[in-house]
Amino acid sequence: MSVTGKLPHKWLAYGGCALLFYILQTMVLSRFQIAGVYPMLLPVVIACVALFEGPEAGSLFGLAAGLFWCFSGGAKNGMYVFLFTVSGALAGLAGARVFARSFKSALLWSVITLLITEGMVFLFRLAVGQLELSALWTVLLPETAYSLIFSPAVYWLVHKIHGRG
Amino acid sequence: MKKIFSTRLRVILAASAVLAALIIIFSTVFSSTSVFSNAVGVILSPFRSAASAIANRFEDLYGYMYEFDGIKAENQLLKEQIAQMEQEVRDAESASEENTRLRELLNLREKRSDLQFEAATVVSWDTSNWGSCFTVSKGTRSGVEVGMCVITETGAVIGTVTEAGLNWATVTTILDDSVEIGAMVFRSGDIGVAQGKFDLMKDGLFRLSYLPADAQLRNGDTVLTTGAGEMFPGDLVLGYIKDVGMEDSGTTKYAIVEPAVSFSDLVQVFIVTSYEIDG
């Protein structure tokens, strides 16, 4: 296989990309808080992959990522399975119909995906009284901003994988 | 008009909703770790250990390079404290009785011979901003089970095991809002419930609720586990009272408690695998 040839296992590469950023998030960045929060990188990966691959592939990737996040201990219940799937579907639809597969689109949909996933968790916990509205600007928004720092790296890697797939 | 959601996409979304519901039901009904979680945890174990080892080396280097002055000052302060403590030991009554405070610092096994525990290393911290838990290097293969208490070498409570795989376990700390422990204020004997609260978790604090309205509490009072319900061993240090208040109902008091544990410094923890129950 030549260096410039197609990647025969594109989805394995996407999975490796997700695993890489999962390890980065949980085993390296877990020691570095900014504004008292940690980043959440899987939604960024899902948004970028879905933007390039479309709604069906994006939603399946989101589903797989959600199951992995749930079973790896990242979430205490299955909510993220559905949220990641929906996020992948929406980002994929946006990429297929409206938005160009540019970094700006990836950045925008990373924000939207983060707000869908972590935002729903925030709203659920707010509804059951586990936290107060202030968590919106003390947790949710800083977490989104911190996560976006890594969006260029995610976008670049996903773009490369897509280009060779 | 072309459908926005294709049939296949709708099937995928529906399947994800069903899976999510099943996982929620399973995690609610069963306290044990699922075979899928166990498998993922086993696969991730070597990655976690490797990343933890590398990160520890970088942290040590960073600390040496940038925190040397601070460490030197802290070392000097600790030397003075130790010297003062040694003086207090010499002044203590009854030479035949070992100083229990130094025992707490130095030898947990002698102080609490009723406890059997398994040492484990912290390999990764949960990076969810909505909870407080971490993963350790021991699991069911080492006798670790869900519900076991986790402490430091000084007997301070860290939290409880909430998931246990073959060679890994998840420990949820006392700061997490899912954790509740029977607790007692050592000086006054007042009984309450130690609960994690999300708004306090960010400040590294937790709440002691359901205290009697006439409880006489002071800042700095030590809070211990009661051992009630046989979930946790008794007389383990949870923390120290930082503030006291009255509930809105006016019928009970609450206290804000600072944990005895410094979570950011945790490298090694001790999982209590068995203990003797009094009475």
Side-chain angles (χ1 to χ4, degrees), chain B residues 199-278:
Chain B
D199 53 342
L200 295 176
M201 184 183 77
K202 291 296 173 189
D203 297 325
L205 305 169
F206 64 92
R207 185 177 168 115
L208 182 61
S209 303
Y210 308 115
L211 293 163
D214 59 351
Q216 298 298 316
L217 307 173
R218 293 181 201 158
N219 284 1
D221 275 345
T222 304
V223 180
L224 306 176
T225 57
T226 58
E230 301 174 9
M231 293 293 292
F232 266 51
D235 298 327
L236 294 175
V237 179
L238 283 163
Y240 309 99
I241 290 180
K242 199 172 159 70
D243 197 8
V244 182
M246 185 67 80
E247 296 283 5
D248 292 340
S249 62
T251 56
T252 56
K253 275 185 179 173
Y254 69 87
I256 305 298
V257 184
E258 183 172 11
V261 179
S262 175
F263 292 100
S264 58
D265 296 333
L266 283 178
V267 175
Q268 188 176 40
V269 302
F270 298 86
I271 303 167
V272 179
T273 52
S274 69
Y275 62 95
E276 291 171 14
I277 299 168
D278 291 334

Side-chain angles (χ1 to χ4, degrees), chain B residues 149-223:
Chain B
C149 172
V150 184
I151 59 177
T152 66
E153 68 276 10
T154 58
V157 176
I158 297 170
T160 179
V161 175
T162 49
E163 277 192 290
L166 198 60
N167 58 355
W168 60 274
T170 298
V171 177
T172 301
T173 76
I174 53 177
L175 303 182
D176 193 280
D177 58 14
S178 64
V179 174
E180 290 187 349
I181 304 170
M184 175 183 72
V185 181
F186 177 64
R187 185 184 56 81
S188 64
D190 294 306
I191 304 287
V193 177
Q195 301 172 307
K197 291 288 181 188
F198 179 79
D199 53 342
L200 295 176
M201 184 183 77
K202 291 296 173 189
D203 297 325
L205 305 169
F206 64 92
R207 185 177 168 115
L208 182 61
S209 303
Y210 308 115
L211 293 163
D214 59 351
Q216 298 298 316
L217 307 173
R218 293 181 201 158
N219 284 1
D221 275 345
T222 304
V223 180

